[in-house]
């Protein structure tokens, strides 16, 4: 299971959201569960809730995704860096042929976008 945390999911994890906490636990404890934190979304989460970036980056079950050139080009074409980097990270790759699911507490943000979402709203 490959899951990309958007900025709202990251901020919710920092506030103790039970569903986000379960994802983090699974990614740490269960084989086959992977959580990704796109760097641009991590910045936005930290702006919304200071300390979030350092906390999430220190967790062993979360992989921080850098803003490499292909991601930067995808982000440049979008309105917000956070959502654009999350959407880019969820696209299929050689390692994730089915892509990834975007975990969010703002599912309406993703309406009409070509991504699968996991609503973490309690």
């Amino acid at each position: 299971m490959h899951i990309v945390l958007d900025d709202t999911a990251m901020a919710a994890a920092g506030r103790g959201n039970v569903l986000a906490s379960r994802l983090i636990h699974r990614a740490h404890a269960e084989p086959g569960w992977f959580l990704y934190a796109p760097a641009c979304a991590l910045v936005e989460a930290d702006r919304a809730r200071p300390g979030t970036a350092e906390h999430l980056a220190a967790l062993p079950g979360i992989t921080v995704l850098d803003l490499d050139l292909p991601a930067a080009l995808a982000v440049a074409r979008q309105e917000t860096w956070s959502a654009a980097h999350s959407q880019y990270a969820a696209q299929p790759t050689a390692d994730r042929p089915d892509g990834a699911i975007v975990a969010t507490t703002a599912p309406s943000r993703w309406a009409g976008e070509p991504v699968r979402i996991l609503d973490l709203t309690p």
Side-chain angles (χ1 to χ4, degrees):
M1 179 68 61
H2 296 274
I3 300 174
V4 174
L5 299 171
D6 77 356
D7 60 304
T8 67
M10 291 182 213
R15 287 190 298 273
N17 178 293
V18 174
L19 299 173
S21 294
R22 286 180 186 164
L23 286 177
I24 292 167
H25 173 73
R26 282 192 162 179
H28 177 68
E30 294 183 30
W33 281 79
F34 303 94
L35 280 184
Y36 304 98
C40 293
L42 196 57
V43 168
E44 285 303 312
D46 201 71
R47 286 180 180 166
R49 188 174 188 285
T52 299
E54 287 180 275
H55 175 71
L56 289 176
L59 295 173
I62 296 180
T63 301
V64 176
L65 301 176
D66 294 330
L67 187 63
D68 59 8
L69 179 58
L73 295 174
V75 165
R77 290 185 224 118
Q78 298 294 327
E79 205 169 299
T80 67
W81 287 33
S82 174
H85 199 187
S86 297
Q87 182 175 338
Y88 174 79
Q91 299 308 307
T93 66
D95 294 339
R96 300 182 306 272
D98 294 328
I101 298 167
V102 175
T104 185
T105 61
S108 61
R109 166 197 281 181
W110 297 101
E113 297 296 336
V115 295
R116 296 172 293 157
I117 64 160
L118 175 61
D119 186 354
L120 299 182
T121 306

